Amino acid sequence: MTTGIADDPDRAPARSHLYAMGMTEEDMRRPAVGIASTWTGTMPCNLTHRELAAHVATGVRRAGGTPMEFNTIAVSDNLTMGTPGMRASLVSREVIADSIELMGRAHQFDAMVCIVGCDKTVPAAIMALARLDVPAVVLYSGSMMPGRWRGRDVTIQDMWEALGERAVGRLNQDEVDDLARHACPGAGTCAAQYTANTMGGVADFLGLAPFGTGDIPAVADGKNAAAERAGEIAMAALARDARPSRILTEASLYNAIVSVAAMGGSTNAVLHLLAIAREAGVPLRIDEIGDVCRKVPIITGLKPSGPHTAADLWRAGGTALVARRLLEAGLLREDVTLVDGRTLAEVAADAVEAPGQRVVTSVAAPVKPPGALAILRGSLAPDGCVLKLGGRPDFRFEGPARVFDSEEECFAAIQRGGVMAGDVVIVRYEGPAGGPGMREMLSITGALVGQGLGDSVALVTDGRFSGVSHGLVIGHVAPEAFHGGPIALVRDGDTVVVDTAARTLDLVVGEEELARRRAAWRRPDRPVERGVLSRYVASVGSASDGAVTV
């Protein structure tokens, strides 16, 4: 934007608007740094972003640049969960990416800082930066602190599982309401290794976020100073011409996958890594993610599969300590460029491990064996699906299908006791196009776990899961039901088999019977979508390719 704007006679109209904002000619001659904030007053996750943006701007000015702030949207997954509003969540990833890209193209910033928080904002910002390819820094705004209730740390996970506990009489409504007052004590993203923190770690290991800045909780001392440092790093990246095309490589994407596996990350990371790879022009298949997860053990004991919160990881030594452990085991590729100019070896050396910490272990003595996530294929998911394996030993689960055509139908059945141990619950028409928007099934998984059915009922869906979800959960089934995938042909009582050793998900129904069902299948009627959802249905691709729009 700044090229010639202070001196070009024909840019005088543009200068007049910059003067109107208080800029000087000196400001106009400095590099312009766009600061993309995903602030919103609709949730705690991104509530600190306006303040952080001001501190980033201070860092940019101190380093000789001219900051220019702008804002874009963010959708609260927790507030929309279990409602039609959740259909907007994954769609928002594309809208956020498009809006950041458009602002970057329109104003031709010399460099950028993207402040991100709740789930979709992290991959969206990275996708936009890959398109723009200007030197840039991602600043993850940080998790909230855990709440305290009845003498223990609690997070939003406890809230959703409390609904299942209420259904079986272990909690009453007053207790659920009391927990709600304590579970989320302040600003920040959900407080454990759910999707937002998974993707915050991904940003570190991709090299676009400086290791350590995202670990700092949203309300902790040091966050504002980290934001100022992010502004300075953006200017240094501009001086080194450290563009995303140099940072987002096959090696850095590999490291990001390793981080998801080692930290027991969210299934949503599969969608987002595929989408980021596509924008970066790096070939990546869904099965490659599964291959990495098969050899990388889980070395952090973070919720939902362990006892610790994101704040515990920060105190223990953060993502830099995780990087040290993974480097020691030879699991990371070191030929990568990091936006702050350090090498991975320097990041590892700079890590400060808290004495006696128990959050981060080692590859030699992991928290759980390899297998945070697994990619399954088979007659029910020819194009693949994602199992949150959580480091379990391989298992075989066979049971009768209980089929539901929406999340709401399934949740109601669970709450009235209509799902039993041994069932394979099928929730379909919740895929990228079928939902539309590929809603997260947290209301279902929370209810199952809360009722004590998390390990005795398998849940299979063409929708997706919150990072909070755990249990026998299989999502992203492709092709989805809306496009006539095999999941659309399942009937109550059909036998479904999950075999993690073979990495298969199969529907045990004869080919002739399936052919008859396929010939009779008709896409269910539903209200005609309008606006952005209509355009999304028409353009979104398969979950096995990242559910990106074309």
Side-chain angles (χ1 to χ4, degrees):
M1 184 197 75
T2 54
T3 303
I5 200 168
D7 304 306
D8 186 341
D10 293 335
R11 299 303 304 279
R15 290 195 293 277
S16 68
H17 264 200
L18 297 179
Y19 288 134
M21 296 193 297
M23 281 196 191
T24 65
E25 290 186 20
E26 182 182 357
D27 293 330
M28 297 178 206
R29 289 192 173 94
R30 292 174 173 170
V33 180
I35 302 173
S37 163
T38 53
W39 176 88
T40 174
T42 60
M43 58 177 161
C45 312
N46 298 23
L47 204 56
T48 60
H49 287 200
R50 286 195 295 196
E51 181 181 0
L52 290 175
H55 285 282
V56 171
T58 296
V60 169
R61 289 191 193 95
R62 190 159 56 220
T66 296
M68 301 191 76
E69 299 175 38
F70 65 96
N71 205 72
T72 183
I73 67 165
V75 169
S76 167
D77 284 3
N78 189 62
L79 286 171
T80 60
M81 194 72 67
T83 77
M86 170 49 76
R87 295 190 172 98
S89 172
L90 188 59
V91 180
S92 75
R93 184 188 71 182
E94 314 309 304
V95 175
I96 296 163
D98 290 350
S99 62
I100 293 174
E101 178 195 0
L102 286 171
M103 286 295 287
R105 292 193 186 283
H107 294 280
Q108 300 176 62
F109 300 120
D110 299 295
M112 294 186 71
V113 177
C114 290
I115 305 171
V116 295
C118 192
D119 301 12
K120 311 310 164 295
T121 62
V122 188
I126 296 171
M127 291 161 67
L129 295 176
R131 298 173 192 172
L132 293 166
D133 201 29
V134 297
V137 175
V138 172
L139 173 63
Y140 179 58
S141 57
S143 73
M144 68 171 64
M145 302 300 288
R148 292 289 291 177
W149 190 67
R150 295 183 175 178
R152 63 186 176 92
D153 283 351
V154 290
T155 72
I156 197 64
Q157 175 184 338
D158 296 273
M159 281 309 316
W160 285 100
E161 292 172 8
L163 300 184
E165 294 182 75
R166 181 192 60 190
V168 295
R170 286 202 288 269
L171 292 176
N172 61 40
Q173 188 60 48
D174 288 343
E175 290 173 307
V176 172
D177 290 340
D178 187 50
L179 174 58
R181 295 184 187 97
H182 293 86
C184 299
T189 61
C190 295
Q193 198 64 0
Y194 311 137
T195 305
N197 282 316
T198 297
M199 295 310 297
V202 162
D204 285 3
F205 280 86
L206 282 174
L208 282 173
F211 274 83
T213 57
D215 297 332
I216 305 169
V219 299
D221 291 342
K223 197 71 191 191
N224 291 340
E228 292 183 16
R229 178 68 182 137
E232 295 171 340
I233 291 171
M235 289 295 293
L238 175 62
R240 300 195 325 273
D241 197 30
R243 298 172 182 267
S245 58
R246 293 178 55 201
I247 295 172
L248 298 176
T249 62
E250 187 273 335
S252 69
L253 274 156
Y254 179 88
N255 288 347
I257 298 167
V258 170
S259 78
V260 172
M263 297 171 73
S266 168
T267 53
N268 281 311
V270 175
L271 288 175
H272 300 327
L273 286 164
L274 290 168
I276 290 167
R278 177 178 180 272
E279 298 292 356
V282 177
L284 179 64
R285 296 181 299 105
I286 189 172
D287 302 276
E288 295 175 69
I289 298 174
D291 292 343
V292 173
C293 289
R294 291 187 85 154
K295 64 184 181 181
V296 177
I298 299 172
I299 63 169
T300 60
L302 298 170
K303 291 176 180 281
S305 55
H308 300 294
T309 66
D312 293 329
L313 175 64
W314 166 58
R315 297 186 189 101
T319 53
L321 179 57
V322 176
R324 178 193 291 176
R325 295 288 191 264
L326 294 171
L327 276 172
E328 288 169 348
L331 289 175
L332 294 179
R333 298 182 180 174
E334 297 188 56
D335 55 332
V336 294
T337 299
L338 304 181
V339 71
D340 63 4
R342 290 185 293 173
T343 65
L344 275 177
E346 289 170 329
V347 166
D350 290 344
V352 178
E353 181 174 1
Q357 67 82 24
R358 297 186 175 184
V359 183
V360 183
T361 61
S362 67
V363 172
V367 174
K368 292 184 178 180
L373 307 174
I375 306 302
L376 311 181
R377 291 182 183 265
S379 60
L380 190 52
D383 292 344
C385 61
V386 183
L387 164 68
K388 192 163 191 177
L389 190 56
R392 287 186 188 87
D394 282 325
F395 65 89
R396 189 178 190 276
F397 189 100
E398 178 176 334
R402 292 278 285 113
V403 182
F404 302 94
D405 286 348
S406 72
E407 177 185 5
E408 289 85 355
E409 285 182 25
C410 182
F411 179 71
I414 295 169
Q415 293 296 80
R416 65 173 180 264
V419 171
M420 311 297 291
D423 286 343
V424 178
V425 172
I426 305 288
V427 183
R428 62 192 181 192
Y429 299 107
E430 292 286 5
M438 207 177 178
R439 290 191 294 176
E440 294 179 341
M441 305 288 113
L442 179 54
S443 66
I444 298 173
T445 61
L448 288 171
V449 171
Q451 291 187 26
L453 296 171
D455 290 324
S456 58
V457 169
L459 173 57
V460 178
T461 180
D462 53 6
R464 59 194 178 94
F465 297 110
S466 166
V468 176
S469 294
H470 59 110
L472 302 180
V473 293
I474 300 171
H476 311 191
V477 171
E480 62 174 293
F482 185 79
H483 292 310
I487 193 172
L489 309 179
V490 185
R491 293 182 181 174
D492 279 338
D494 288 348
T495 297
V496 176
V497 179
V498 182
D499 187 335
T500 64
R503 294 298 194 259
T504 54
L505 174 65
D506 287 313
L507 175 62
V508 186
V509 175
E511 284 299 323
E512 290 185 6
E513 174 59 20
L514 283 178
R516 281 192 293 270
R517 295 182 189 182
R518 188 172 289 109
W521 176 79
R522 298 292 182 271
R523 184 177 293 160
D525 290 333
R526 70 178 187 194
V528 176
E529 305 293 348
R530 301 177 61 193
V532 65
L533 290 183
S534 176
R535 295 193 294 275
Y536 188 80
V537 171
S539 62
V540 70
S542 171
S544 61
D545 295 319
V548 295
T549 52
V550 295

